[in-house]
Amino acid sequence: MKSQVRKLERVAVAQRPTERPDRAEVEQAVRTMIRWAGDDPARDGLRDTPDRVARAFEEYFSGYALDPTEILQKTFEEIEGYDEMIVLRGVRFESHCEHHIAPIVGRAWVAYIPQGRVVGISKLARVVDIYAKRLQIQEKMTAQIANTINDVLEPQGVGVIIKATHHCMTTRGAYKPGTDLVTSRMLGVFRDNALTRQELLGLANSDT
């Protein structure tokens, strides 16, 4: 039932009408911001910057055009009864915070315990990337990754841990370089079984 509700929510978001500005509007907005910062967008060094920024944003936020549930559709059932933990460690990602559009750079540990079928490990990394390449807060991103894997694969449990540095805190505002934020989302046996949860936390903390 929860899976169906989330699917309906995703469809509703996808169908929500939005007026996406065209490329010329985006580039003009960048020129306005350059002028607001105190520089001249017409000078040689900045003349092509609006185009470059627009192209960069297409890369930064390409996750909006992709459906992470589709990535997980192809699974493998010939696993000889394997039912132990599967962990993809240290998946590097780059995202941007939705409050300041400042970089979030970090790594994700994605784990699940299968229930009759598994998915290719590259697909787990792609799910991380799809959600990372959107405007994000780390807490939401952690939950989105875990919830999607749980809904599509229906495993015994899912655990996701993310460690990331937020430039909105390290390069502005509080100016606290060297700090990172750690978030986790535990579902199924990872939430219910303390030993299983501790095993995953140990793997995430070992960095070996």
Side-chain angles (χ1 to χ4, degrees):
M1 183 64 180
K2 289 182 180 179
S3 177
Q4 292 177 335
V5 170
R6 290 199 183 100
K7 185 175 182 180
L8 290 172
E9 289 175 347
R10 285 194 292 267
V11 170
V13 170
Q15 294 178 341
R16 188 177 299 158
T18 57
E19 295 183 4
R20 188 177 184 181
D22 60 27
R23 186 62 169 267
E25 291 179 89
V26 174
E27 293 184 12
Q28 184 55 47
V30 176
R31 293 186 189 95
T32 299
M33 292 183 68
I34 292 172
R35 290 198 304 272
W36 179 79
D39 214 321
D40 178 10
R43 71 176 175 84
D44 286 346
L46 292 173
R47 187 173 295 125
D48 294 327
T49 295
D51 173 65
R52 295 190 188 101
V53 171
R55 284 188 283 115
F57 268 44
E58 287 175 343
E59 294 182 31
Y60 296 158
F61 306 121
S62 60
Y64 286 112
L66 300 171
D67 182 355
T69 63
E70 293 182 359
I71 301 298
L72 298 172
Q73 292 303 316
K74 184 176 181 179
T75 58
F76 306 94
E77 296 182 0
E78 296 180 358
I79 59 174
E80 299 294 331
Y82 185 89
D83 60 357
E84 298 294 331
M85 190 183 304
I86 297 170
V87 188
L88 188 61
R89 302 198 301 169
V91 181
R92 181 179 169 82
F93 68 86
E94 295 84 32
S95 188
H96 289 79
C97 82
E98 63 183 42
H99 300 141
H100 305 94
I101 318 185
I104 301 171
V105 180
R107 293 190 295 163
W109 285 255
V110 181
Y112 71 102
I113 296 179
Q115 191 157 245
R117 59 194 179 120
V118 299
V119 69
I121 58 174
S122 67
K123 303 301 189 293
L124 299 176
R126 291 190 66 189
V127 170
V128 173
D129 278 341
I130 287 172
Y131 282 120
K133 292 184 181 300
R134 302 179 181 187
L135 292 168
Q136 280 290 8
I137 63 171
Q138 185 174 325
E139 296 87 343
K140 180 174 70 174
M141 177 178 161
T142 307
Q144 287 174 325
I145 295 168
N147 291 342
T148 297
I149 295 170
N150 191 61
D151 290 347
V152 178
L153 298 185
E154 298 182 336
Q156 297 181 55
V158 179
V160 175
I161 299 169
I162 292 180
K163 302 178 182 180
T165 297
H166 293 242
H167 286 221
C168 60
M169 179 175 175
T170 63
T171 64
R172 60 160 301 283
Y175 289 102
K176 297 298 180 184
T179 61
D180 63 3
L181 180 67
V182 181
T183 53
S184 66
R185 172 77 157 171
M186 304 291 172
L187 300 173
V189 294
F190 286 95
R191 178 182 289 271
D192 300 334
N193 189 313
L195 291 177
T196 302
R197 182 169 61 252
Q198 192 58 45
E199 181 180 353
L200 173 58
L201 292 171
L203 288 169
N205 291 329
S206 66
D207 280 342
T208 59

